[in-house]
């Protein structure tokens, strides 16, 4: 081959739209080799004895990769799918297809950047360059009004400066078609059992929505949220709700895998504002995307400190003596505090939990049960369909008081929150059926029911643990 052959290493950027590595490779290369590796390290057990990837997210991932392969085939190309370590697989493919350069998007968390470093070293031995692109955030790192190390530790200061001095770049154009090497051996997405999971046939009927991985579904969801249901119009008022598909965007899992570019969402917000008007709600949605940027930039600033108990504040929260027992009950949704149990059960069954639920479940674990916050973060890492290191560990560190929370000791009053955000108890009733007969908001405090009432509502199946019951 005479011209350039560029290998595009897909990772958490499983899309065609606004994907600079793909667009650039098509522009500069005569031939492009798109590759995705299922890295076995993504499916290992962690030092906290949780799985790095639970079955719900694993299934979502397989759907994302299948959709990407399908979309590439429609462009006259294909996707090479392999199982193994990228630092072993990519050099083999480089040699086989006479690749001249490899492109990828830079990650921020240490495990991911270590893999990039190993790939870079392995390619270096072949005298091949690994070119890094920045493409996961709304604001490009180079357009920030401060160097990474000077980014304020308080979000509002970051926001004010960003809004004043920076702007979001336009999305990159999507390629229409391109050439791959003749006889490229593509491969297929591994089955759930090949990845070590039992296949999940049906989604829990109670799930806020059916999450299916892939760019196609992501773009359809975005279209529906903005233009069909017009739900974005009320985002600010509904975003702390707990039931239904449209109280928030539900973009997170697609954004986490890169099926949806945050920049694409940003420009869709702008288009919506032009056509249907701007409001507190469209601004609030933008702010949440900015929070996501913020945690990624914080990861760049503080690196592994987010994976330490003391975070970057230097002092870990207090821990209880029997924290292992408490943790087990929390994980099973059996703490005896219905609002917490409902949220954890939703997570366990569907992979999703609302932001309000995550804040309360995390705060309750750390502040009420006094369990090591890293155990909770690690459990979320396994279970969340939208897990991403910076968002998860950044938010957990925030709630544990070892990260970006500017206040000294924030504590969610779980009972107050339950009554405010689930005033009639409908959310708890959905996820804790043992309590279904308890009327109205009384469902949030089963420990206050008399023996007679407990009998009347048949609460024999629900264990109330008074030591955990939050103060009224
Ligand atoms: P929307 O409310 O519609 O927001 C739009 C987008 O903005 C989201 O899709 C997400 O990409 C981003 N976003 C929203 N809230 C936050 C936030 N607080 N921090 C950073 N980005 C945000 N989000 C993840 O994507 N992955 C995680 O692993 C994750 N772990 C979390 C752990 C804890 C303890 C907490 C408190 C929050 C966590 N979040 C995480 C943030 C947030 O809860 C989810 O992004 C949100 O609930 C997803 O629903 P949505 O897409 O409907 O969000």
């Amino acid at each position: 081959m005479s011209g350039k052959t560029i290998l595009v290493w897909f990772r958490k950027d499983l899309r065609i739209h606004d994907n600079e590595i793909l667009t650039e490779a098509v522009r500069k290369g005569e031939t492009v080799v798109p590759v995705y590796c299922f890295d076995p390290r993504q499916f290992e057990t962690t030092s906290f004895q949780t799985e790095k990837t639970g079955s719900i997210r694993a299934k979502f991932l397989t759907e994302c990769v299948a959709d990407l392969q399908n979309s590439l085939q429609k462009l006259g190309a294909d996707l090479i799918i392999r199982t193994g370590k990228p630092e072993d697989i990519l050099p083999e493919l480089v040699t086989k297809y006479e690749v001249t350069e490899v492109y990828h998007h830079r990650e921020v968390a240490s495990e991911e950047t270590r893999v990039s470093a190993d790939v870079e070293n392995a390619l270096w031995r072949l005298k091949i360059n690994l070119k890094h692109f920045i493409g996961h955030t709304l604001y490009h790192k180079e357009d920030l009004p401060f160097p990474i190390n000077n980014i304020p530790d308080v979000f509002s200061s970051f926001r004010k400066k960003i809004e004043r001095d920076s702007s979001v770049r336009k999305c990159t154009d999507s390629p229409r078609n391109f050439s791959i090497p003749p006889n490229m051996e593509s491969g297929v997405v591994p089955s759930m059992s090949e990845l070590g999971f039992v296949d999940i046939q049906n989604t829990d009927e109670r799930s806020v929505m059916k999450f299916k991985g892939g760019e196609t579904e992501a773009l359809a969801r975005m279209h529906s949220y903005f233009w069909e249901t017009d739900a974005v119009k009320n985002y600010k008022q509904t975003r702390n709700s707990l039931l239904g598909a449209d109280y928030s965007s539900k973009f997170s899992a697609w954004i986490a895998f890169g099926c949806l570019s945050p920049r694409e969402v940003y420009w869709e917000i702008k288009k919506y504002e032009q056509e249907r008007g701007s409001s507190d709600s469209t601004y609030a949605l933008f702010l949440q995307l900015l929070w996501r940027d913020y945690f990624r930039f914080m990861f760049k600033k503080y690196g592994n400190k987010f994976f330490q108990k003391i975070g970057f504040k230097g002092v870990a929260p207090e821990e209880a003596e029997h924290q292992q027992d408490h943790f087990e009950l929390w994980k099973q949704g059996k703490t005896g505090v219905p609002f917490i149990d409902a949220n954890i059960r939703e997570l366990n069954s569907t992979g999703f939990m609302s932001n309000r639920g995550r804040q309360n479940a995390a705060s309750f674990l750390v502040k009420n049960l006094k369990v090591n916050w890293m155990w909770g973060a690690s459990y979320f890492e396994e279970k969340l369909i939208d897990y991403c290191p910076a968002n998860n560990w950044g938010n957990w560190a925030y709630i544990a008081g070892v990260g970006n929370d500017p206040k000294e000791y924030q504590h969610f009053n779980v009972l107050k929150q339950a009554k405010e955000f689930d005033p009639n108890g409908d959310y708890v009733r959905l996820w804790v059926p043992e309590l279904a007969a308890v009327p109205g908001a009384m469902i949030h405090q089963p420990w206050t029911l008399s023996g007679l009432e407990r009998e009347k509502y048949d609460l024999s199946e629900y264990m109330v643990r008074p030591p955990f019951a939050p103060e009224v």
Side-chain angles (χ1 to χ4, degrees), residues 235 248-252 255 285 288-289 291-292 295 352-355 358-359 362 380 384 386-388 391-392 395-396 399:
Y235 173 75
S248 64
S249 74
K250 308 295 182 314
F251 294 163
S252 54
I255 292 180
L285 184 60
Q288 293 313 119
L289 293 172
W291 265 108
R292 178 180 169 278
F295 282 125
F352 191 80
M353 191 198 288
S354 68
N355 187 55
R358 293 179 206 205
Q359 288 174 327
F380 271 30
L384 279 175
D386 61 19
Y387 169 75
C388 79
N391 268 8
N392 188 56
N395 272 292
W396 270 94
I399 283 172

mmCIF file of all heavy atoms in Angstrom, residues 235 248-252 255 285 288-289 291-292 295 352-355 358-359 362 380 384 386-388 391-392 395-396 399, ligand 1:
data_model
loop_
_atom_site.group_PDB
_atom_site.id
_atom_site.type_symbol
_atom_site.label_atom_id
_atom_site.label_comp_id
_atom_site.label_asym_id
_atom_site.label_seq_id
_atom_site.Cartn_x
_atom_site.Cartn_y
_atom_site.Cartn_z
ATOM 1 N N TYR A 235 -37.383 20.342 32.122
ATOM 2 C CA TYR A 235 -36.303 19.610 32.793
ATOM 3 C C TYR A 235 -36.009 20.137 34.205
ATOM 4 O O TYR A 235 -35.875 19.381 35.150
ATOM 5 C CB TYR A 235 -35.032 19.666 31.922
ATOM 6 C CG TYR A 235 -33.810 19.095 32.600
ATOM 7 C CD1 TYR A 235 -33.668 17.721 32.742
ATOM 8 C CD2 TYR A 235 -32.812 19.923 33.114
ATOM 9 C CE1 TYR A 235 -32.556 17.183 33.380
ATOM 10 C CE2 TYR A 235 -31.705 19.398 33.744
ATOM 11 C CZ TYR A 235 -31.575 18.030 33.873
ATOM 12 O OH TYR A 235 -30.486 17.496 34.512
ATOM 13 N N SER A 248 -35.902 13.220 33.352
ATOM 14 C CA SER A 248 -34.558 13.712 33.000
ATOM 15 C C SER A 248 -34.223 13.114 31.646
ATOM 16 O O SER A 248 -34.983 12.295 31.118
ATOM 17 C CB SER A 248 -33.533 13.326 34.072
ATOM 18 O OG SER A 248 -33.411 11.916 34.126
ATOM 19 N N SER A 249 -33.074 13.489 31.098
ATOM 20 C CA SER A 249 -32.817 13.097 29.704
ATOM 21 C C SER A 249 -32.553 11.600 29.512
ATOM 22 O O SER A 249 -32.811 11.056 28.460
ATOM 23 C CB SER A 249 -31.628 13.889 29.163
ATOM 24 O OG SER A 249 -30.424 13.398 29.726
ATOM 25 N N LYS A 250 -31.979 10.958 30.529
ATOM 26 C CA LYS A 250 -31.562 9.543 30.458
ATOM 27 C C LYS A 250 -30.483 9.336 29.380
ATOM 28 O O LYS A 250 -30.325 8.254 28.834
ATOM 29 C CB LYS A 250 -32.753 8.592 30.178
ATOM 30 C CG LYS A 250 -33.935 8.772 31.114
ATOM 31 C CD LYS A 250 -33.614 8.415 32.530
ATOM 32 C CE LYS A 250 -34.752 8.516 33.514
ATOM 33 N NZ LYS A 250 -35.619 9.659 33.526
ATOM 34 N N PHE A 251 -29.723 10.386 29.094
ATOM 35 C CA PHE A 251 -28.646 10.282 28.088
ATOM 36 C C PHE A 251 -27.395 9.598 28.656
ATOM 37 O O PHE A 251 -26.478 9.247 27.908
ATOM 38 C CB PHE A 251 -28.218 11.687 27.618
ATOM 39 C CG PHE A 251 -29.256 12.460 26.847
ATOM 40 C CD1 PHE A 251 -29.124 13.838 26.671
ATOM 41 C CD2 PHE A 251 -30.359 11.825 26.281
ATOM 42 C CE1 PHE A 251 -30.065 14.567 25.956
ATOM 43 C CE2 PHE A 251 -31.312 12.552 25.573
ATOM 44 C CZ PHE A 251 -31.160 13.925 25.412
ATOM 45 N N SER A 252 -27.324 9.479 29.984
ATOM 46 C CA SER A 252 -26.035 9.169 30.621
ATOM 47 C C SER A 252 -25.329 7.909 30.118
ATOM 48 O O SER A 252 -24.112 7.925 29.920
ATOM 49 C CB SER A 252 -26.211 9.089 32.141
ATOM 50 O OG SER A 252 -27.239 8.176 32.465
ATOM 51 N N ILE A 255 -23.928 8.585 26.746
ATOM 52 C CA ILE A 255 -22.786 9.515 26.811
ATOM 53 C C ILE A 255 -21.572 8.786 27.389
ATOM 54 O O ILE A 255 -20.448 8.950 26.906
ATOM 55 C CB ILE A 255 -23.144 10.764 27.663
ATOM 56 C CG1 ILE A 255 -24.200 11.607 26.939
ATOM 57 C CG2 ILE A 255 -21.898 11.609 27.942
ATOM 58 C CD1 ILE A 255 -24.632 12.875 27.677
ATOM 59 N N LEU A 285 -30.031 21.844 31.810
ATOM 60 C CA LEU A 285 -29.487 20.638 31.167
ATOM 61 C C LEU A 285 -28.026 20.882 30.754
ATOM 62 O O LEU A 285 -27.158 20.024 30.946
ATOM 63 C CB LEU A 285 -30.350 20.242 29.953
ATOM 64 C CG LEU A 285 -29.944 18.948 29.262
ATOM 65 C CD1 LEU A 285 -30.028 17.751 30.211
ATOM 66 C CD2 LEU A 285 -30.830 18.680 28.036
ATOM 67 N N GLN A 288 -25.726 20.478 33.712
ATOM 68 C CA GLN A 288 -25.392 19.100 34.103
ATOM 69 C C GLN A 288 -24.270 18.554 33.214
ATOM 70 O O GLN A 288 -23.371 17.860 33.683
ATOM 71 C CB GLN A 288 -26.623 18.192 34.008
ATOM 72 C CG GLN A 288 -27.681 18.525 35.019
ATOM 73 C CD GLN A 288 -27.119 18.725 36.432
ATOM 74 O OE1 GLN A 288 -27.244 19.811 37.000
ATOM 75 N NE2 GLN A 288 -26.490 17.727 36.998
ATOM 76 N N LEU A 289 -24.312 18.933 31.936
ATOM 77 C CA LEU A 289 -23.219 18.499 31.049
ATOM 78 C C LEU A 289 -21.915 19.155 31.471
ATOM 79 O O LEU A 289 -20.831 18.573 31.347
ATOM 80 C CB LEU A 289 -23.548 18.846 29.593
ATOM 81 C CG LEU A 289 -24.715 18.078 28.981
ATOM 82 C CD1 LEU A 289 -25.064 18.657 27.618
ATOM 83 C CD2 LEU A 289 -24.386 16.593 28.839
ATOM 84 N N TRP A 291 -21.164 19.909 34.566
ATOM 85 C CA TRP A 291 -20.693 19.151 35.732
ATOM 86 C C TRP A 291 -19.861 17.945 35.282
ATOM 87 O O TRP A 291 -18.852 17.599 35.875
ATOM 88 C CB TRP A 291 -21.887 18.637 36.559
ATOM 89 C CG TRP A 291 -22.250 19.525 37.698
ATOM 90 C CD1 TRP A 291 -23.353 20.312 37.779
ATOM 91 C CD2 TRP A 291 -21.517 19.708 38.930
ATOM 92 N NE1 TRP A 291 -23.347 20.973 38.980
ATOM 93 C CE2 TRP A 291 -22.243 20.619 39.711
ATOM 94 C CE3 TRP A 291 -20.331 19.187 39.433
ATOM 95 C CZ2 TRP A 291 -21.822 21.026 40.969
ATOM 96 C CZ3 TRP A 291 -19.900 19.589 40.690
ATOM 97 C CH2 TRP A 291 -20.643 20.500 41.443
ATOM 98 N N ARG A 292 -20.341 17.333 34.222
ATOM 99 C CA ARG A 292 -19.624 16.158 33.706
ATOM 100 C C ARG A 292 -18.218 16.568 33.249
ATOM 101 O O ARG A 292 -17.228 15.920 33.580
ATOM 102 C CB ARG A 292 -20.430 15.540 32.555
ATOM 103 C CG ARG A 292 -19.757 14.351 31.918
ATOM 104 C CD ARG A 292 -20.584 13.781 30.778
ATOM 105 N NE ARG A 292 -19.763 12.817 30.067
ATOM 106 C CZ ARG A 292 -18.875 13.134 29.149
ATOM 107 N NH1 ARG A 292 -18.703 14.392 28.798
ATOM 108 N NH2 ARG A 292 -18.147 12.195 28.561
ATOM 109 N N PHE A 295 -15.934 17.180 36.354
ATOM 110 C CA PHE A 295 -15.337 16.013 37.011
ATOM 111 C C PHE A 295 -14.202 15.419 36.167
ATOM 112 O O PHE A 295 -13.196 14.949 36.701
ATOM 113 C CB PHE A 295 -16.403 14.956 37.323
ATOM 114 C CG PHE A 295 -17.231 15.301 38.532
ATOM 115 C CD1 PHE A 295 -18.616 15.359 38.468
ATOM 116 C CD2 PHE A 295 -16.633 15.580 39.754
ATOM 117 C CE1 PHE A 295 -19.379 15.685 39.581
ATOM 118 C CE2 PHE A 295 -17.391 15.908 40.882
ATOM 119 C CZ PHE A 295 -18.761 15.963 40.796
ATOM 120 N N PHE A 352 -30.028 1.504 36.568
ATOM 121 C CA PHE A 352 -30.211 2.956 36.618
ATOM 122 C C PHE A 352 -30.732 3.381 37.986
ATOM 123 O O PHE A 352 -31.423 2.627 38.670
ATOM 124 C CB PHE A 352 -31.200 3.425 35.530
ATOM 125 C CG PHE A 352 -31.219 4.923 35.364
ATOM 126 C CD1 PHE A 352 -30.234 5.566 34.618
ATOM 127 C CD2 PHE A 352 -32.182 5.695 35.999
ATOM 128 C CE1 PHE A 352 -30.223 6.954 34.499
ATOM 129 C CE2 PHE A 352 -32.182 7.081 35.876
ATOM 130 C CZ PHE A 352 -31.196 7.711 35.130
ATOM 131 N N MET A 353 -30.370 4.576 38.381
ATOM 132 C CA MET A 353 -30.932 5.214 39.573
ATOM 133 C C MET A 353 -30.896 6.706 39.283
ATOM 134 O O MET A 353 -29.945 7.200 38.662
ATOM 135 C CB MET A 353 -30.056 4.895 40.791
ATOM 136 C CG MET A 353 -30.680 5.280 42.122
ATOM 137 S SD MET A 353 -29.444 5.385 43.460
ATOM 138 C CE MET A 353 -29.041 3.703 43.761
ATOM 139 N N SER A 354 -31.923 7.426 39.713
ATOM 140 C CA SER A 354 -31.979 8.870 39.455
ATOM 141 C C SER A 354 -30.834 9.576 40.183
ATOM 142 O O SER A 354 -30.251 9.024 41.123
ATOM 143 C CB SER A 354 -33.296 9.430 39.978
ATOM 144 O OG SER A 354 -33.290 9.361 41.400
ATOM 145 N N ASN A 355 -30.566 10.795 39.785
ATOM 146 C CA ASN A 355 -29.524 11.556 40.476
ATOM 147 C C ASN A 355 -29.906 11.787 41.942
ATOM 148 O O ASN A 355 -29.081 11.671 42.835
ATOM 149 C CB ASN A 355 -29.309 12.893 39.767
ATOM 150 C CG ASN A 355 -28.122 13.642 40.333
ATOM 151 O OD1 ASN A 355 -27.016 13.110 40.382
ATOM 152 N ND2 ASN A 355 -28.340 14.855 40.807
ATOM 153 N N ARG A 358 -29.229 8.623 43.778
ATOM 154 C CA ARG A 358 -27.786 8.368 43.969
ATOM 155 C C ARG A 358 -27.246 9.212 45.112
ATOM 156 O O ARG A 358 -26.455 8.748 45.927
ATOM 157 C CB ARG A 358 -27.012 8.701 42.682
ATOM 158 C CG ARG A 358 -27.347 7.768 41.548
ATOM 159 C CD ARG A 358 -26.587 8.112 40.262
ATOM 160 N NE ARG A 358 -27.346 7.635 39.107
ATOM 161 C CZ ARG A 358 -26.840 7.338 37.939
ATOM 162 N NH1 ARG A 358 -25.559 7.464 37.715
ATOM 163 N NH2 ARG A 358 -27.603 6.904 36.957
ATOM 164 N N GLN A 359 -27.676 10.473 45.160
ATOM 165 C CA GLN A 359 -27.175 11.353 46.219
ATOM 166 C C GLN A 359 -27.594 10.836 47.587
ATOM 167 O O GLN A 359 -26.799 10.801 48.523
ATOM 168 C CB GLN A 359 -27.713 12.777 46.017
ATOM 169 C CG GLN A 359 -27.070 13.470 44.833
ATOM 170 C CD GLN A 359 -27.697 14.829 44.549
ATOM 171 O OE1 GLN A 359 -28.881 15.021 44.750
ATOM 172 N NE2 GLN A 359 -26.894 15.754 44.081
ATOM 173 N N ALA A 362 -25.919 7.358 48.454
ATOM 174 C CA ALA A 362 -24.496 7.528 48.786
ATOM 175 C C ALA A 362 -24.344 8.216 50.138
ATOM 176 O O ALA A 362 -23.571 7.769 51.000
ATOM 177 C CB ALA A 362 -23.806 8.349 47.691
ATOM 178 N N PHE A 380 -21.320 0.862 42.878
ATOM 179 C CA PHE A 380 -21.942 1.591 41.763
ATOM 180 C C PHE A 380 -21.198 1.294 40.464
ATOM 181 O O PHE A 380 -21.801 1.190 39.403
ATOM 182 C CB PHE A 380 -21.925 3.101 42.028
ATOM 183 C CG PHE A 380 -23.126 3.640 42.767
ATOM 184 C CD1 PHE A 380 -23.830 2.862 43.674
ATOM 185 C CD2 PHE A 380 -23.560 4.951 42.562
ATOM 186 C CE1 PHE A 380 -24.939 3.375 44.354
ATOM 187 C CE2 PHE A 380 -24.669 5.467 43.232
ATOM 188 C CZ PHE A 380 -25.357 4.684 44.128
ATOM 189 N N LEU A 384 -23.925 0.276 37.783
ATOM 190 C CA LEU A 384 -24.500 1.343 36.951
ATOM 191 C C LEU A 384 -24.378 1.052 35.457
ATOM 192 O O LEU A 384 -23.293 0.699 34.979
ATOM 193 C CB LEU A 384 -23.806 2.673 37.232
ATOM 194 C CG LEU A 384 -24.238 3.465 38.462
ATOM 195 C CD1 LEU A 384 -23.340 4.694 38.645
ATOM 196 C CD2 LEU A 384 -25.702 3.892 38.378
ATOM 197 N N ASP A 386 -24.552 3.399 33.383
ATOM 198 C CA ASP A 386 -23.892 4.586 32.834
ATOM 199 C C ASP A 386 -22.565 4.871 33.522
ATOM 200 O O ASP A 386 -22.069 6.003 33.467
ATOM 201 C CB ASP A 386 -24.817 5.807 32.940
ATOM 202 C CG ASP A 386 -25.203 6.150 34.391
ATOM 203 O OD1 ASP A 386 -24.518 5.703 35.320
ATOM 204 O OD2 ASP A 386 -26.203 6.873 34.569
ATOM 205 N N TYR A 387 -22.001 3.834 34.151
ATOM 206 C CA TYR A 387 -20.768 4.100 34.919
ATOM 207 C C TYR A 387 -19.691 4.777 34.070
ATOM 208 O O TYR A 387 -19.406 4.354 32.954
ATOM 209 C CB TYR A 387 -20.201 2.783 35.482
ATOM 210 C CG TYR A 387 -18.802 2.964 36.034
ATOM 211 C CD1 TYR A 387 -18.604 3.610 37.250
ATOM 212 C CD2 TYR A 387 -17.672 2.553 35.314
ATOM 213 C CE1 TYR A 387 -17.333 3.839 37.744
ATOM 214 C CE2 TYR A 387 -16.401 2.773 35.802
ATOM 215 C CZ TYR A 387 -16.241 3.414 37.019
ATOM 216 O OH TYR A 387 -14.979 3.648 37.502
ATOM 217 N N CYS A 388 -19.139 5.814 34.615
ATOM 218 C CA CYS A 388 -17.897 6.343 34.044
ATOM 219 C C CYS A 388 -17.050 6.820 35.220
ATOM 220 O O CYS A 388 -17.585 7.340 36.216
ATOM 221 C CB CYS A 388 -18.126 7.411 32.996
ATOM 222 S SG CYS A 388 -18.495 9.001 33.633
ATOM 223 N N ASN A 391 -17.294 10.630 36.631
ATOM 224 C CA ASN A 391 -18.600 10.984 37.192
ATOM 225 C C ASN A 391 -18.887 10.213 38.468
ATOM 226 O O ASN A 391 -19.437 10.743 39.421
ATOM 227 C CB ASN A 391 -19.713 10.684 36.175
ATOM 228 C CG ASN A 391 -20.031 11.891 35.323
ATOM 229 O OD1 ASN A 391 -19.339 12.896 35.390
ATOM 230 N ND2 ASN A 391 -21.059 11.790 34.525
ATOM 231 N N ASN A 392 -18.551 8.936 38.449
ATOM 232 C CA ASN A 392 -18.895 8.129 39.613
ATOM 233 C C ASN A 392 -18.015 8.471 40.812
ATOM 234 O O ASN A 392 -18.496 8.859 41.873
ATOM 235 C CB ASN A 392 -18.775 6.643 39.265
ATOM 236 C CG ASN A 392 -19.307 5.763 40.387
ATOM 237 O OD1 ASN A 392 -20.455 5.895 40.808
ATOM 238 N ND2 ASN A 392 -18.455 4.901 40.924
ATOM 239 N N ASN A 395 -18.424 12.174 41.974
ATOM 240 C CA ASN A 395 -19.642 12.421 42.747
ATOM 241 C C ASN A 395 -19.579 11.766 44.125
ATOM 242 O O ASN A 395 -20.012 12.345 45.117
ATOM 243 C CB ASN A 395 -20.872 11.902 41.994
ATOM 244 C CG ASN A 395 -21.467 12.941 41.043
ATOM 245 O OD1 ASN A 395 -22.017 13.952 41.484
ATOM 246 N ND2 ASN A 395 -21.340 12.710 39.746
ATOM 247 N N TRP A 396 -19.032 10.567 44.192
ATOM 248 C CA TRP A 396 -18.912 9.891 45.494
ATOM 249 C C TRP A 396 -17.966 10.667 46.420
ATOM 250 O O TRP A 396 -18.266 10.862 47.600
ATOM 251 C CB TRP A 396 -18.411 8.446 45.328
ATOM 252 C CG TRP A 396 -19.526 7.457 45.163
ATOM 253 C CD1 TRP A 396 -20.038 7.000 43.985
ATOM 254 C CD2 TRP A 396 -20.291 6.830 46.198
ATOM 255 N NE1 TRP A 396 -21.065 6.119 44.230
ATOM 256 C CE2 TRP A 396 -21.233 5.982 45.573
ATOM 257 C CE3 TRP A 396 -20.266 6.871 47.595
ATOM 258 C CZ2 TRP A 396 -22.155 5.210 46.299
ATOM 259 C CZ3 TRP A 396 -21.179 6.097 48.311
ATOM 260 C CH2 TRP A 396 -22.104 5.278 47.673
ATOM 261 N N ILE A 399 -19.734 13.637 47.812
ATOM 262 C CA ILE A 399 -20.682 13.335 48.892
ATOM 263 C C ILE A 399 -19.958 12.887 50.162
ATOM 264 O O ILE A 399 -20.367 13.218 51.272
ATOM 265 C CB ILE A 399 -21.704 12.290 48.397
ATOM 266 C CG1 ILE A 399 -22.703 13.040 47.506
ATOM 267 C CG2 ILE A 399 -22.422 11.595 49.554
ATOM 268 C CD1 ILE A 399 -23.670 12.233 46.767
HETATM 269 P P1 LIG B 1 -29.659 14.449 33.268
HETATM 270 O O1 LIG B 1 -30.153 14.978 34.529
HETATM 271 O O2 LIG B 1 -30.608 14.421 32.129
HETATM 272 O O3 LIG B 1 -28.320 15.128 32.872
HETATM 273 C C1 LIG B 1 -27.786 15.155 31.538
HETATM 274 C C2 LIG B 1 -26.375 14.604 31.531
HETATM 275 O O4 LIG B 1 -25.509 15.397 32.327
HETATM 276 C C3 LIG B 1 -26.272 13.193 32.098
HETATM 277 O O5 LIG B 1 -26.608 12.239 31.143
HETATM 278 C C4 LIG B 1 -24.810 13.143 32.529
HETATM 279 O O6 LIG B 1 -23.966 12.864 31.434
HETATM 280 C C5 LIG B 1 -24.552 14.574 33.009
HETATM 281 N N1 LIG B 1 -24.777 14.687 34.457
HETATM 282 C C6 LIG B 1 -25.949 14.822 35.102
HETATM 283 N N2 LIG B 1 -25.765 14.934 36.426
HETATM 284 C C7 LIG B 1 -24.435 14.868 36.635
HETATM 285 C C8 LIG B 1 -23.611 14.927 37.789
HETATM 286 N N3 LIG B 1 -24.108 15.074 39.024
HETATM 287 N N4 LIG B 1 -22.268 14.788 37.629
HETATM 288 C C9 LIG B 1 -21.733 14.643 36.404
HETATM 289 N N5 LIG B 1 -22.461 14.595 35.278
HETATM 290 C C10 LIG B 1 -23.802 14.696 35.381
HETATM 291 N N6 LIG B 1 -23.290 9.893 36.066
HETATM 292 C C11 LIG B 1 -22.746 9.120 35.116
HETATM 293 O O7 LIG B 1 -22.914 9.410 33.929
HETATM 294 N N7 LIG B 1 -21.986 8.023 35.441
HETATM 295 C C12 LIG B 1 -21.757 7.669 36.739
HETATM 296 O O8 LIG B 1 -21.044 6.697 36.991
HETATM 297 C C13 LIG B 1 -22.370 8.443 37.765
HETATM 298 N N8 LIG B 1 -22.236 8.110 39.072
HETATM 299 C C14 LIG B 1 -22.805 8.905 40.042
HETATM 300 C C15 LIG B 1 -22.636 8.573 41.391
HETATM 301 C C16 LIG B 1 -23.200 9.354 42.392
HETATM 302 C C17 LIG B 1 -22.972 9.008 43.841
HETATM 303 C C18 LIG B 1 -23.954 10.490 42.044
HETATM 304 C C19 LIG B 1 -24.559 11.358 43.097
HETATM 305 C C20 LIG B 1 -24.122 10.843 40.714
HETATM 306 C C21 LIG B 1 -23.564 10.056 39.701
HETATM 307 N N9 LIG B 1 -23.721 10.382 38.331
HETATM 308 C C22 LIG B 1 -23.137 9.598 37.377
HETATM 309 C C23 LIG B 1 -24.363 11.650 37.917
HETATM 310 C C24 LIG B 1 -25.874 11.615 37.655
HETATM 311 O O9 LIG B 1 -26.549 11.005 38.721
HETATM 312 C C25 LIG B 1 -26.234 10.892 36.370
HETATM 313 O O10 LIG B 1 -25.447 11.374 35.299
HETATM 314 C C26 LIG B 1 -27.706 11.137 36.002
HETATM 315 O O11 LIG B 1 -28.539 10.737 37.048
HETATM 316 C C27 LIG B 1 -28.040 10.372 34.742
HETATM 317 O O12 LIG B 1 -29.366 10.596 34.366
HETATM 318 P P2 LIG B 1 -29.710 11.503 33.108
HETATM 319 O O13 LIG B 1 -28.907 11.088 31.940
HETATM 320 O O14 LIG B 1 -31.170 11.473 32.969
HETATM 321 O O15 LIG B 1 -29.212 12.913 33.603
#
